[in-house]
């Protein structure tokens, strides 16, 4: 039995729901309490897995580290609760360890408890934004910088000294030849900083 719908049957019956879910050129995931209940083949292929291998898995396996998953898993909750929709762009990990930029958009079915039941889309940005190597700590510092946090605030979140945060920030600037934070965001994200791995930006459909 095939795991994909018949194109012929869909056009014959006029019911295109399954056809769209399976063949839309973006990854689609249905989640419950951060657990993948189902996904389309585009999503599974994007990360190098089969659909069966991802069902009932947490998103933790798709992140560079457990720490980064813990840092990012609750982002967007306030936006989902208030408006039902959220988006950001973040670094994720394929099976085998390759890292890549990904655009994530979500819609919750349960605004009072936003992550209880939701549907998400994932777009691979590799062709337009190749991943530049960063250490885990550099990714974490950059992520929090993009939220507008000061070095002191970042130090508190990551349980490190303010001096250590400044060292990571200086390394990021040097690594990408940036003279300031705005230039760093442009080098890493190719878009303005407020949209990159952002916890507070709410996507408004046009």
């Amino acid at each position: 039995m095939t795991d994909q719908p018949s194109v012929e049957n869909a056009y014959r019956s006029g019911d295109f729901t399954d056809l769209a879910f399976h063949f839309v050129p973006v990854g689609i995931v249905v989640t419950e309490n951060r657990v993948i209940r189902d996904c389309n083949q585009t999503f599974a292929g994007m990360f190098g897995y089969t659909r069966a291998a991802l069902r009932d898995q947490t998103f933790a396996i798709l992140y560079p580290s457990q720490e980064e998953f813990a840092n990012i898993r609750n982002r967007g909750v306030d936006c989902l609760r208030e408006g039902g929709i959220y988006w950001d762009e973040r670094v994720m990990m394929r099976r085998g360890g390759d890292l890549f930029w990904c655009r994530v958009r979500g819609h919750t079915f349960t605004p009072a408890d936003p992550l209880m039941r939701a549907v998400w889309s994932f777009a691979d940005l590799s062709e337009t934004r190749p991943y530049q190597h960063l250490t885990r700590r550099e990714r974490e510092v950059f992520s929090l910088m993009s939220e507008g946090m000061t070095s002191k605030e970042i130090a508190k979140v990551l349980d490190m000294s303010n001096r250590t945060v400044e060292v990571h920030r200086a390394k990021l600037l040097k690594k990408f030849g940036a003279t300031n934070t705005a230039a760093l965001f442009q080098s890493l994200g190719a878009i303005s900083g407020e949209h990159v791995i952002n916890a507070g930006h709410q996507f408004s459909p046009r």
Side-chain angles (χ1 to χ4, degrees):
M1 182 177 178
T2 180
D3 195 33
Q4 296 182 342
S6 164
V7 175
E8 189 64 34
N9 289 344
Y11 276 87
R12 186 181 299 115
S13 67
D15 184 354
F16 302 107
T17 304
D18 285 345
L19 194 69
F21 177 77
H22 284 278
F23 293 103
V24 65
V26 294
I28 302 293
V29 190
V30 179
T31 61
E32 185 173 20
N33 288 326
R34 304 185 187 91
V35 173
I36 299 170
R37 295 300 303 275
D38 200 3
C39 63
N40 64 2
Q41 185 56 48
T42 304
F43 178 84
M46 184 186 305
F47 287 92
Y49 293 90
T50 64
R51 290 178 63 208
L54 289 176
R55 289 190 184 111
D56 299 322
Q57 295 283 345
T58 72
F59 272 99
I61 66 171
L62 305 179
Y63 285 88
S65 69
Q66 291 294 317
E67 291 86 353
E68 286 175 81
F69 172 65
N71 286 340
I72 205 170
R73 62 186 174 187
N74 290 321
R75 294 184 183 179
V77 168
D78 289 342
C79 287
L80 288 170
R81 184 178 292 115
E82 294 168 8
I85 296 173
Y86 170 79
W87 79 276
D88 67 29
E89 299 187 353
R90 59 184 68 171
V91 173
M92 301 192 74
M93 183 178 72
R94 305 186 204 277
R95 184 180 184 183
D98 290 341
L99 304 183
F100 69 107
W101 279 99
C102 190
R103 178 177 294 121
V104 180
R105 290 177 174 171
H107 170 82
T108 182
F109 301 113
T110 52
D113 188 359
L115 299 181
M116 173 66 74
R117 291 178 176 174
V119 61
W120 304 84
S121 72
F122 287 74
D124 186 345
L125 302 180
S126 298
E127 290 189 5
T128 57
R129 190 181 309 155
Y131 174 73
Q132 302 281 358
H133 175 71
L134 300 176
T135 67
R136 176 176 64 83
R137 278 305 195 190
E138 287 171 343
R139 288 193 298 270
E140 291 173 339
V141 169
F142 172 71
S143 174
L144 297 174
M145 285 171 59
S146 72
E147 294 180 22
M149 286 191 182
T150 65
S151 294
K152 184 176 180 180
E153 290 169 333
I154 293 172
K156 184 176 181 179
V157 170
L158 297 180
D159 191 25
M160 61 174 61
S161 70
N162 183 65
R163 172 59 182 163
T164 301
V165 173
E166 288 296 330
V167 169
H168 284 302
R169 181 180 181 278
K171 286 182 178 179
L172 285 167
L173 293 173
K174 182 177 180 181
K175 183 175 287 189
F176 293 96
T179 56
N180 53 44
T181 301
L184 176 64
F185 287 143
Q186 187 169 4
S187 296
L188 282 168
I191 55 175
S192 61
E194 68 176 12
H195 298 289
V196 183
I197 323 179
N198 173 45
H201 182 81
Q202 180 176 323
F203 169 72
S204 299
R206 298 186 180 190

